[in-house]
Amino acid sequence: MAEHADTQSLLRLVTWLSPAFPVGSFSYSGGLEQAIHDRLVTGADDLRLWCETLLDHGTTWNDALLLAEGYRACDDAARLIAASELAEALAGSREWHMETMLLGEAFLAAAGHWPHASLEFPGARAAYPVAVGAVAGAHRTGLEAALAAFLNATISNAVSVAIRCGVTGQRDGVGMLARMEKTIGAVATRATRASLDDLGAATIIADIASLRHEILHSRLFRT
Amino acid sequence: MEPAAIIAPQRARGEGRLVAKAEGGRTRIAELYQEGCAKIRLPKTFDASMEAVLINSSGGVTGGDRLSWEFRAGKGTKLTLTTQACEKVYKAAAGTAEIATRISVAAGAHVDWLPQETILFDRSALSRSLEVDLAADASFLAVEAVLIGRKAMGEEVRAGLFRDNWRIRSGGRLIHAENLALAGDIAALASRRAVLDGAAAFATLVYAAPDCESQLSKLRLALAGHALSGVSHYDVGGRDKIVARVAAADGFALRKILIPLISHLRKDASVPKVWTL
């Protein structure tokens, strides 16, 4: 794989994983709103540790592996369906399941502006990381670049959630993105060398936060 | 007496299989097979269901041990599976222990998978799998609880490996998966806020049955006082399920939370007798 994505691939990944891409990612917090409510995340340092734990030992790591599987299987419909079903089954709460499926569906619809003949999901439904992987794979953006863009978007969204919940400011939030650059890169590299056999999460409290969010009275986010 | 040191380490092997069928309105044995350290006991029950108590007669698992269990609940049967004791996972000198469990539940049948807690000791290594195949109108409850050491006994877990993979299918479609992985410096990992925030006990509950929707509010009520717990009802692949997770300071506190949940989902029948507080 080329060390740097070419300009076309870079443009596509930046667009597909931009907060402005019409998938509505700004309305989901992946349980972070609940973690902030429960004072598990109270500032920029907590937020960084929370995100790093999800990246190394949690759902974000699993999502990276599911994206990689989608990328590698982009020409194999049966394998894509299996990956998406696995992602659905792994979604550990009602809201987590809703988030990954609605984002995936919206992503496939919006990515239709970059048509690709061989890419077909039944009912145009797929879990979000698998959908992103499959579209990136079909357009040969480079797997590591796609992973890095996806993970960076996930962490950026968490920062944006924390800013809107008032536990960090813009400056500390951006500072955190800069500090996490190496970790994001390392996890992207690790995921290119891993497979679905390496799925594994230890983030039980984060799962519980996602389960609890559905009964949170006053909320800004859908998850 | 011969010095013990010259004896090569024994690796425990065990294989147990139970097939249940409905006969005369009760659940009865169609096949029972046990080999090595895997034993199955069937205490008398006073209703139409069958209870099977699994025993690992080697008294715990350590690196290199292999256990496999298979349970098939035939049409219209009702089977409860539990273990005689907590599964203790001891320090592994070399290798990883493996425990594989397969359960199939035929049309109109119900299985409760309620093993007692798994206790991880320092430097233990266990890879475990649970594969469940449900017929489209079968129902199933699984509760697995894990303790990281036993705080009350002053046992600390620093390092270790624990992987627990679940795959639950209904009518062939995957409806639930778990890939739990605790590896390396487990003490440092468990202290992280997103992992266990210092708690040493946790459990996962999955329930797949036609009455999920009506059970949710009662489970929520039962968990209302416990900040480290949550429960959801949702459908995956057109099949309803309930998922609940609980974390607690220790095994005793965890049991106090789990027992009412299990009793409720067993329609107020108690937990298996071996599960006593």
Side-chain angles (χ1 to χ4, degrees), chain B residues 70-186:
Chain B
E70 186 184 355
F71 306 97
R72 279 186 260 152
K75 273 187 187 170
T77 56
K78 200 169 182 309
L79 180 63
T80 296
L81 302 167
T82 186
T83 55
Q84 192 186 42
C86 294
E87 188 72 276
K88 296 173 194 73
V89 191
Y90 293 116
K91 177 176 166 180
T96 301
E98 284 176 26
I99 303 177
T101 304
R102 281 185 294 158
I103 300 172
S104 68
V105 193
H110 176 83
V111 169
D112 284 336
W113 171 246
L114 301 170
Q116 298 196 62
E117 297 88 339
T118 298
I119 306 175
L120 308 178
F121 287 88
D122 193 29
R123 295 165 70 191
S124 59
L126 171 64
S127 176
R128 193 165 70 175
S129 67
L130 175 66
E131 296 267 346
V132 182
D133 272 295
L134 307 176
D137 65 344
S139 59
F140 179 67
L141 167 66
V143 179
E144 283 270 15
V146 177
L147 313 184
I148 303 175
R150 289 182 297 192
K151 264 192 185 159
M153 324 268 276
E155 293 151 352
E156 237 193 320
V157 177
R158 302 303 316 175
L161 170 72
F162 179 56
R163 299 188 76 96
D164 196 13
N165 293 349
W166 299 17
R167 295 292 181 268
I168 303 175
R169 293 178 178 82
S170 173
R173 164 70 146 92
L174 193 61
I175 61 158
H176 190 80
E178 297 276 328
N179 274 58
L180 176 73
L182 295 170
D185 186 347
I186 290 186

Side-chain angles (χ1 to χ4, degrees), chain A residues 7 25 41 44 62-63 76-77 96 100 111 114 125 143 160 178 197 207:
Chain A
T7 303
S25 53
V41 175
N62 283 350
D63 280 351
D76 182 341
W96 193 252
T100 196
W114 289 262
R125 277 180 94 243
L143 173 56
S160 154
D197 292 340
D207 284 347

Side-chain angles (χ1 to χ4, degrees), chain A residues 93-165:
Chain A
S93 68
R94 179 168 69 78
E95 291 190 345
W96 193 252
H97 180 258
M98 173 183 81
E99 177 173 334
T100 196
M101 295 314 289
L102 290 182
L103 283 172
E105 204 174 315
F107 183 84
L108 288 177
H113 291 288
W114 289 262
H116 193 277
S118 74
L119 202 60
E120 283 279 349
F121 281 98
R125 277 180 94 243
Y128 183 50
V130 179
V132 173
V135 169
H139 292 281
R140 305 285 187 269
T141 62
L143 173 56
E144 189 162 335
L147 281 163
F150 175 84
L151 295 174
N152 190 63
T154 304
I155 306 300
S156 302
N157 194 56
V159 167
S160 154
V161 168
I163 291 170
R164 280 180 283 165
C165 287

Side-chain angles (χ1 to χ4, degrees), chain A residues 3-56:
Chain A
E3 197 177 326
H4 300 286
D6 62 30
T7 303
Q8 187 186 56
S9 293
L10 179 66
L11 286 173
R12 286 175 176 180
L13 288 172
V14 165
T15 303
W16 295 339
L17 292 153
S18 146
F21 201 59
V23 294
S25 53
F26 59 85
S27 59
Y28 303 99
S29 91
L32 180 58
E33 182 175 34
Q34 182 70 40
I36 289 168
H37 179 266
D38 291 340
R39 303 196 56 78
L40 291 163
V41 175
T42 60
D45 288 341
D46 286 349
L47 178 66
R48 185 168 50 82
L49 196 57
W50 183 270
C51 289
E52 279 174 1
T53 307
L54 291 178
L55 263 172
D56 284 328

Side-chain angles (χ1 to χ4, degrees), chain B residues 3-60:
Chain B
I6 64 165
I7 299 167
Q10 293 273 321
R11 295 283 177 261
R13 291 282 181 278
E15 192 183 334
R17 182 165 64 246
L18 171 67
V19 181
K21 63 178 177 185
E23 198 177 74
R26 292 184 63 100
T27 299
R28 297 184 192 278
I29 305 173
E31 189 191 338
L32 176 64
Y33 174 84
Q34 354 177 36
E35 190 194 270
C37 63
K39 310 273 189 255
I40 299 172
R41 295 289 173 264
L42 303 167
K44 256 196 173 29
T45 54
F46 299 95
D47 58 18
S49 71
M50 176 184 276
E51 184 173 307
V53 179
L54 320 188
I55 301 167
N56 171 8
S57 64
S58 68

Side-chain angles (χ1 to χ4, degrees), chain A residues 38-42 46 49-50 52-54 56-57 62 82 84-95 97-98 125 196-208 210-212 214-215, chain B residues 163 165 167-168 172-183 189 192-197 199 202-203 216 220 223-224 226-237 241 243-247:
Chain A
D38 291 340
R39 303 196 56 78
L40 291 163
V41 175
T42 60
D46 286 349
L49 196 57
W50 183 270
E52 279 174 1
T53 307
L54 291 178
D56 284 328
H57 304 280
N62 283 350
S84 183
E85 288 184 358
L86 178 58
E88 268 201 87
L90 279 168
S93 68
R94 179 168 69 78
E95 291 190 345
H97 180 258
M98 173 183 81
R125 277 180 94 243
L196 294 181
D197 292 340
D198 301 297
L199 285 170
T203 43
I204 295 148
I205 297 289
D207 284 347
I208 289 174
S210 171
L211 289 166
R212 294 173 70 75
E214 60 187 83
I215 51 168
Chain B
R163 299 188 76 96
N165 293 349
R167 295 292 181 268
I168 303 175
R173 164 70 146 92
L174 193 61
I175 61 158
H176 190 80
E178 297 276 328
N179 274 58
L180 176 73
L182 295 170
L189 189 59
R192 292 198 187 194
R193 288 194 179 161
V195 175
L196 279 168
D197 200 20
F202 62 95
L216 181 68
R220 270 215 178 113
L223 289 174
H226 307 288
L228 296 181
S229 72
V231 57
S232 263
H233 159 233
Y234 52 121
D235 100 70
V236 169
K241 65 175 177 181
V243 175
R245 293 176 206 279
V246 182

